């Protein structure tokens, strides 16, 4: 008679024994449970094995499983006295009264998706102190013909290449319908890229999102991964490779994938890799291809200068651009770089909606360039982030006036000094 749909047991000092009790209870009743949260408990590998037994059960209808662990307890305020604590002030937002309700609706939608709506039918085992042993249990669940699993997050566990190889036995199963896979900071190397590419090619893949950030994949790993991106059955839309020890060589491999026909890739994140201007120039050979449908490009902290702005502006002008979101934050672009970038913003086919240029050594001169570009073109730009730059009040006012003017599309301006 139990009709419980949501059960939250966070911070309850549970061990793998509780997993056994839960799995047993849920199997005994045609379960209505859709959301199970076990965050901040010491469940470890044995706990995962026990719960994966329930995931394979025909009665399992679980859609969302949150299973996080943090080994660091928050420090009391009294212990932080006298210490330097980095606090970033909230971004300053300038909104016209006309646009307030629309912005609040967007914010509500964003918060809802972060709270789990976008991760329905998902399993998060992030920060659970797991090893490669758990990958066998998860792979078995993926191979089950009753698997509802669409999202799997094993981030911040020491899985290593051996663990990913075990996991791939599940990914290559015809029963696997996984759409999102996150393996952030899992102590992986280029060998895991080879295992993943091979497994995903062997199964007409449903995978739409892959996040391998924080692993030492290097250029050789990306080259192996691009073998999957070229594959005709590849439907990958989001690829995140933040902080993966990549150089400009990887940009050449990825550019080739973007030129492939058809390329389904919509989001690419290469932030925190030393790509340099030479790497962006290589990447641009893919961006200017008619086959490229990329909508979001993140190149935060990639050792870029104003030269990259010129390369990007030229490439995006040559292709009726699909790009909606561009992040070049924490690069030394300077005012000269923004001026070059504005050559793209002036372009009639520019569809850019979000531009992030945080901490790029900009002054009020950049504000003048941006304001001029936005006034000359019925701009689609909705959000502009210039936080962490020395803009001065005179520069901020030029852009704030556009936010308040109903004839322009700009809705959000961030300019806080970090």
């Amino acid at each position: 008679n139990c009709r419980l749909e949501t059960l939250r047991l966070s911070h309850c000092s549970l061990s793998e024994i509780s997993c056994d009790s839960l799995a047993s209870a849920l199997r005994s009743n045609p379960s209505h449970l859709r959301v199970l949260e076990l965050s901040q408990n010491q469940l470890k590998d044995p706990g995962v094995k026990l719960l994966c037994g329930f995931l394979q059960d025909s009665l399992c209808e679980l859609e969302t499983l949150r299973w996080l662990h943090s080994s660091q307890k928050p420090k009391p305020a009294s212990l932080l006295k006298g210490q330097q604590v980095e606090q970033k002030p909230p971004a300053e937002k300038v909104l016209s009264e006309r646009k307030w309700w629309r912005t609040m609706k967007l914010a509500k939608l964003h918060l809802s998706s972060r709270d789990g709506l976008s991760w329905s039918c998902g399993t998060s085992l992030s920060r659970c102190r797991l090893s490669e042993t758990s990958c066998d249990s998860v792979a078995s669940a993926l191979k089950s013909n009753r698997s509802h699993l669409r999202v799997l997050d094993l981030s911040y566990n020491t899985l290593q290449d051996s663990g990913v190889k075990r996991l791939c036995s599940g990914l290559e199963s015809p029963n696997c319908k996984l759409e999102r896979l996150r393996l952030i900071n899992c102590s992986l190397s280029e060998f895991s890229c080879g295992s993943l590419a091979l497994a995903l090619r062997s199964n007409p893949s449903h995978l739409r999102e892959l996040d391998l950030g924080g692993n030492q994949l290097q250029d050789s790993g990306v080259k192996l991964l691009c073998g999957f991106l070229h594959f005709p059955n590849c439907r990958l839309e989001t690829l995140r490779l933040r902080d993966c020890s990549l150089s400009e060589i990887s940009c050449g491999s990825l550019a080739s994938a973007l030129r492939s026909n058809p390329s389904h890739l919509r989001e690419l994140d290469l932030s925190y890799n030393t790509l340099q201007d030479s790497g962006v120039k290589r990447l641009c050979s893919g961006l200017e291809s008619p086959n490229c449908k990329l909508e979001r490009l993140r190149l935060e902290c990639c050792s870029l200068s104003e030269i990259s702005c010129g390369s990007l502006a030229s490439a995006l002008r040559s292709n009726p651009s699909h790009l909606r979101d561009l992040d070049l934050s924490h690069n030394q672009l300077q005012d000269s770089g923004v001026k070059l970038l504005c050559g793209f913003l002036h372009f009639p086919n520019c569809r850019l909606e979000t531009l992030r240029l945080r901490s790029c050594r900009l002054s009020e001169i950049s504000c003048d360039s941006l304001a001029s570009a936005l006034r000359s073109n019925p701009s689609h730009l909705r959000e502009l982030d210039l936080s962490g730059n020395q803009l001065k009040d005179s520069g901020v006012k030029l852009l704030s006036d556009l936010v308040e003017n109903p004839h322009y599309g700009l809705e959000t301006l961030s300019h806080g000094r970090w």
Side-chain angles (χ1 to χ4, degrees), residues 18 42 68 107 120 128 143 154 157 215 219 249 330 336 359 379 381 387 402:
S18 294
Q42 304 288 328
L68 309 173
S120 62
C128 281
K143 286 184 281 194
L154 295 171
N157 291 295
N215 293 294
D219 298 319
I249 296 172
H330 300 284
S336 54
S359 300
S379 177
L381 201 68
S387 304
L402 297 183

Side-chain angles (χ1 to χ4, degrees), residues 103-150:
T103 304
M104 290 306 291
K105 287 179 181 178
L106 288 173
K108 184 177 180 181
L109 177 63
H110 177 65
L111 289 172
S112 296
S113 65
R114 286 182 63 189
D115 197 40
L117 291 183
S118 64
W119 286 82
S120 62
C121 302
T123 300
S124 176
L125 303 171
S126 173
R127 292 185 172 93
C128 281
R129 294 186 176 180
L130 311 183
S131 70
E132 66 267 27
T133 305
S134 288
C135 292
D136 281 329
S137 305
V138 175
S140 181
L142 290 173
K143 286 184 281 194
S144 167
N145 59 8
R146 290 281 185 173
S147 177
H148 293 267
L149 213 56
R150 297 295 180 268

Side-chain angles (χ1 to χ4, degrees), residues 280-339:
V280 170
K281 188 175 181 179
R282 293 189 186 193
L283 188 65
C284 284
S285 68
L287 295 177
E288 64 191 15
S289 168
N291 291 327
C292 177
K293 302 294 187 294
L294 204 66
E295 296 178 1
R296 295 182 182 89
L297 177 61
R298 292 182 169 86
L299 299 172
E300 186 178 352
C301 199
C302 289
S303 302
L304 309 182
S305 76
E306 68 269 20
I307 296 172
S308 289
C309 293
S311 302
L312 285 166
S314 176
L316 295 171
R317 277 198 307 266
S318 66
N319 176 26
S321 179
H322 297 264
L323 202 68
R324 299 291 183 271
D325 188 327
L326 178 61
D327 191 343
L328 297 173
S329 300
H330 300 284
N331 290 294
Q332 306 301 309
L333 307 183
Q334 305 183 71
D335 296 321
S336 54
V338 171
K339 187 175 182 179

